[in-house]
Each structure stands twice: as structure tokens, then as C-alpha cells.
Amino acid sequence: MVEEPETAAPAAGGDARYGAPAGRAEVRRYSEVDVEAARRVPSGFGEFDRVLGGGIVPGSMVLVGGEPGIGKSTLLLQVAARVAESAGPVLYASGEESEQQVKERGQRLDIGDAELYLLAETCLERLLEAVERVRPALLVVDSIQTIYSLSLASAPGSVGQVREAATHLLFNAKRGNVPTILVGHVTKDGALAGPKVLEHVVDTVLYFEGERHHAHRVVRAVKNRFGAVSELGVFEMTGSGLLPVSNPSRLFLSDRAADAPGSVVLCSLEGTRPILVEVQALVSTGAYGTARRMSSGMDHNRLALLLAVLEKRAGLGLAGEDVFVNVAGGLEIDEPAADLGVVAAVASSLRARPVRPATAVFGEVGLGGEVRGTPQAGLRVREAAQLGFTHCVVPAANSGRDTADAGCETIGVETVEDALDALLAVS
Ligand code: TYD
Ligand code: MG
């Protein structure tokens, strides 16, 4: 429950709270709208541009969420510096750190003498006034939860304050065509903190993911008015900031022990990009009465369903066995095309037999044990071929035409049993 104090109704003539409307409302003919004016500003990082759908859209508002310490401030400071070099002044407003702290980080990131302005400010009105003065090509607000408006009595970070600050910044972004990037905190269960309206108000919502113990970080779009969602940008945290990773498949497969049972390489598709990831399964006889099923990086219910299919349609004895499934590298896989990889990993571990060498796999598994076709099969197979895989086990529906010129031999399968025969054949 949130208390909403009553505010006086605006006087006739309009509410100036979000900035006075300038002149008459303009109506323009479709054919006369100039798209040239809306050229995207490159962020200086191809991986970040990719998640945004091709660069920063003028006048847009982007929200970047993520756990503390994951690297939000680092990435945005790097982006701010690059944009300042290429597109003009950038204002980096930090409510969390002093100018000295920001600069200290900047020195590790090797930021030179760009037109980058720092502002340690939490008051919305003063922030807007500074924007008016600097007229930046990009505004970064780190974080929205620290900004408060003088017009509300509640504390910074409260629902009312966050909504007020976000709305004002949005109007400011649209009015002055200033692209704005907000940093948002996330709650313990991973959702963005603050009012749900925050996500509705902004044009783009990006999540910064990754495990703190691993060096790589993934930026994912969950909402984007100007591009595809679920597009991924992959970075690596180094001693001198975040570096873009141009070949994520290589990174995600780097620690793989190729001939270990229970390890399968999956061709997944993230947004428009194919990425190879390793799915690992460990099946071991449960010591306790009830078998445990645990998954990380994939949906728990999907795993339960796939295990039931294996049991019923492929005759694997999984009752009483503990099953653990892990998507290596902390990646989150949520497309059905991952099914066949998971099924193969579990079977491989149960039978203690490694999968066929240099073979990757993808395909959706139905309740009848049938393997269903998957979109973008050609892209997936081509990615596997590029990383040196010689064979791909794919849905029969995708074998042939889609994948003919991919440079990798495809083995089309119709059922889970066929797939296991193809993958786990004794050589
Ligand atoms: P930060 O950007 O402050 O995280 P957030 O704003 O999301 O809370 O990132 C801090 C972490 O990144 C910290 O654990 C140190 C690490 N780091 C590096 O490894 N290399 C670097 O060059 C920088 C600046 C930070
Ligand atoms: Mg920070």
C-alpha cells in the first residue's frame, strides 16, 4: 500500500508540472515525417548497440537494471565517454557516487579528455536545470532510485518519487530530444525495484546479468520499442573495464571437457544471434527417498516435463535418480529448441557415455517424444560449423533444405529415441 497525498487540481490553462506544452499540437502527414532526424547515435560498443537495436535512439529513454556490483556504472561510464568523443557533450549524473569516485573509476577505464560532464546530484529539479545548461547529446542517471523531487514529501526511492522522477526525465528526453539512460536497482528476486510504471514509461528495458564469480556479463533487452527483444550483448569484465566479446560461443565453450558424459553442445538462438552453449547434466542415484531435480539456467518445469518424456518414450529409468542440469556460463536458456540438448545430456550422463565428438544439437521435444522443427535452423548449423563442429543432430523437418550449405553434416531425427541413437552411438 502506498500513500498518495492529494494534490491541488491544476489551474485552468494547463498543468505546467511536466513542462508547459509548446504552442499548438502539430499534426504531420505520414509521408512528410523526416526519419533522417532520428538517426541513431552509436554508443561506441557494438555489443551495446546490438541490444539497443542498432544504437541509441534520440529522445529515447532506456532503463538498465541489474544487481549491485554487476557493472552497470562501469558500462555506462564507458558508453558516456565514447559518446562524448563522437557525438558531443554527455552528462553523467551520479546520485550514488561523488565526482571523485566516478573519476577514479574512469581512470581505470582509461577515459581521456572527452566532453564528459559529471554531476553528483540527487535533486531532480537541479538535475533538470543542469541538463538545460549543458544540453547533452546523452544523459546518464545513475540511479533513478536516488533521485528525488522537491515537490513530493516522500523519501527518495519510494514509489511516488521514482515515478515522478522518471516521468519528468521522460518529458525532458522527448522535449529536448535528449536520449536518457537510467540505472535501476533490482530487488532480491531480480525484478526492477520501484513502481511497475517505470518499465511502462521507458522505451527500452535492459537487464545486466552474469555471475559475480565469472568474468563475463550479458546485457539482455526485455522490452524494446526500437528493436528486437531477447537480443544479447556479451561483455567480459577485465581490470580495465568491460570489453565486448565478439564471439560468445567460443567464450561459453571455453571450459568444456569434450568427452565427458553429460555434456552436450546446444545451438541456441538469442535474439537474432546463434550462440553455442554447453548443457551439462548429472544423474546420480538419490540417497534419500525422493529424487531431486534441480536446474540452473533453464526452467524447472520444462526439465520435469522432459524427464517424463525420457522415461515414458525413450524408456530411460530415471525414477529414484537425482537429476541436475546446468547451462554452463550462467546463461539463461528459455527457447524450446534447447529441449533436445537437455534430453541428450541427461541420457548421456545416465548411460555414462559421452556424446559423439564434434557434434552439436538442437530441437524441440513434444510430449509424444517427437522432435519438432525449429526456426532459424540454418543460422544455428552455420554457427556450429564455424566453431569446428562437423555434425549437427537436428529435427528431421530442418534437415536438408534449411541446412544444406551450412558446411556441417546434419543428421535429421524424428523422435527422441532416434536422437539418442545418433548422439550416443558406441563408436
Ligand atoms: P559497478 O559498475 O560499480 O557495478 P554497479 O554499478 O552495477 O553496482 O561494478 C563494480 C564491479 O566491477 C566491482 O566489483 C569491480 C569491478 N570492476 C572491474 O573488475 N574492473 C574495472 O575496471 C572496474 C571499473 C570495475
Ligand atoms: Mg553503480
Side-chain angles (χ1 to χ4, degrees):
M1 301 293 278
V2 181
E3 185 183 357
E4 292 258 7
E6 210 175 321
T7 49
D15 183 5
R17 215 158 78 104
Y18 297 114
R24 276 191 309 171
E26 285 272 349
V27 181
R28 220 171 297 162
R29 203 185 160 115
Y30 178 82
S31 57
E32 286 163 10
V33 174
D34 184 14
V35 281
E36 281 299 300
R39 276 256 174 272
R40 292 177 186 240
V41 182
S43 70
F45 290 91
E47 287 295 298
F48 195 59
D49 286 346
R50 166 196 290 279
V51 212
L52 290 172
I56 304 167
V57 176
S60 69
M61 192 147 96
V62 178
L63 178 63
V64 179
E67 283 177 23
I70 200 87
K72 302 181 292 297
S73 305
T74 305
L75 176 66
L76 294 180
L77 189 59
Q78 287 178 275
V79 167
R82 290 279 179 96
V83 173
E85 277 169 16
S86 66
V90 173
L91 183 60
Y92 185 98
S94 173
E96 306 203 324
E97 287 148 340
S98 67
E99 289 139 3
Q100 288 76 17
Q101 287 167 320
V102 175
K103 178 147 189 185
E104 219 162 282
R105 175 183 293 122
Q107 280 169 342
R108 290 178 63 178
L109 306 176
D110 230 0
I111 289 175
D113 183 31
E115 242 195 301
L116 175 61
Y117 296 97
L118 302 182
L119 174 73
E121 184 56 74
T122 53
C123 172
L124 176 69
E125 284 74 14
R126 282 204 291 256
L127 169 60
L128 289 174
E129 188 270 322
V131 173
E132 200 67 19
R133 241 181 315 129
V134 178
R135 300 209 156 269
L138 172 70
L139 169 66
V140 178
V141 180
D142 188 2
S143 66
I144 186 70
Q145 276 85 7
T146 56
I147 305 293
Y148 72 96
S149 164
L150 294 172
S151 65
L152 294 185
S154 49
S158 64
V159 171
Q161 285 285 18
V162 170
R163 187 175 53 200
E164 182 79 2
T167 315
H168 273 286
L169 287 167
L170 178 76
F171 277 79
N172 175 70
K174 303 287 173 205
R175 199 174 339 115
N177 226 13
V178 188
T180 304
I181 305 183
L182 308 178
V183 171
H185 291 169
V186 295
T187 57
K188 262 201 218 94
D189 42 335
L192 276 158
K196 200 70 192 161
V197 286
L198 192 53
E199 284 168 67
H200 296 306
V201 160
V202 300
D203 298 304
T204 303
V205 180
L206 307 182
Y207 272 97
F208 215 122
E209 297 165 0
E211 288 173 47
R212 222 168 315 165
H213 312 289
H214 288 285
H216 69 265
R217 302 281 183 272
V218 172
V219 183
R220 184 193 293 274
V222 291
K223 163 184 175 175
N224 196 352
R225 289 192 180 133
F226 310 116
V229 287
S230 79
E231 200 69 73
L232 281 191
V234 184
F235 294 88
E236 194 176 351
M237 183 62 98
T238 68
S240 50
L242 285 158
L243 292 183
V245 173
S246 50
N247 192 333
S249 297
R250 188 157 289 146
L251 175 78
F252 288 122
L253 295 184
S254 59
D255 293 332
R256 178 167 185 253
D259 49 2
S263 160
V264 172
V265 174
L266 168 76
C267 311
S268 81
L269 197 71
E270 298 289 338
T272 53
R273 167 157 69 178
I275 294 187
L276 300 191
V277 285
E278 179 190 1
V279 181
Q280 299 177 317
L282 184 65
V283 180
S284 73
T285 307
Y288 314 103
T290 50
R292 287 195 299 167
R293 272 80 212 270
M294 303 226 304
S295 64
S296 87
M298 73 168 290
D299 180 38
H300 190 84
N301 293 325
R302 191 79 195 167
L303 174 62
L305 183 151
L306 292 174
L307 294 181
V309 172
L310 269 178
E311 181 111 40
K312 197 88 179 171
R313 308 287 175 199
L316 263 64
L318 287 163
E321 305 280 347
D322 286 345
V323 180
F324 305 92
V325 172
N326 177 37
V327 178
L331 210 65
E332 194 75 35
I333 300 290
D334 62 356
E335 56 161 1
D339 293 351
L340 205 53
V342 174
V343 160
V346 170
S348 159
S349 176
L350 180 75
R351 295 188 180 157
R353 204 182 290 161
V355 296
R356 207 184 147 122
T359 304
V361 57
F362 63 89
E364 178 179 350
V365 172
L367 288 183
E370 79 278 17
V371 175
R372 301 183 170 189
T374 298
Q376 304 287 6
L379 265 183
R380 297 173 202 258
V381 176
R382 237 161 278 142
E383 176 75 3
Q386 260 170 30
L387 277 131
F389 287 81
T390 55
H391 291 80
C392 267
V393 172
V394 308
N398 292 127
S399 184
R401 199 169 31 86
D402 297 3
T403 55
D405 58 343
C408 184
E409 194 178 319
T410 56
I411 304 162
V413 292
E414 279 178 4
T415 64
V416 169
E417 272 196 299
D418 285 355
L420 297 185
D421 284 346
L423 278 163
L424 304 178
V426 260
S427 48

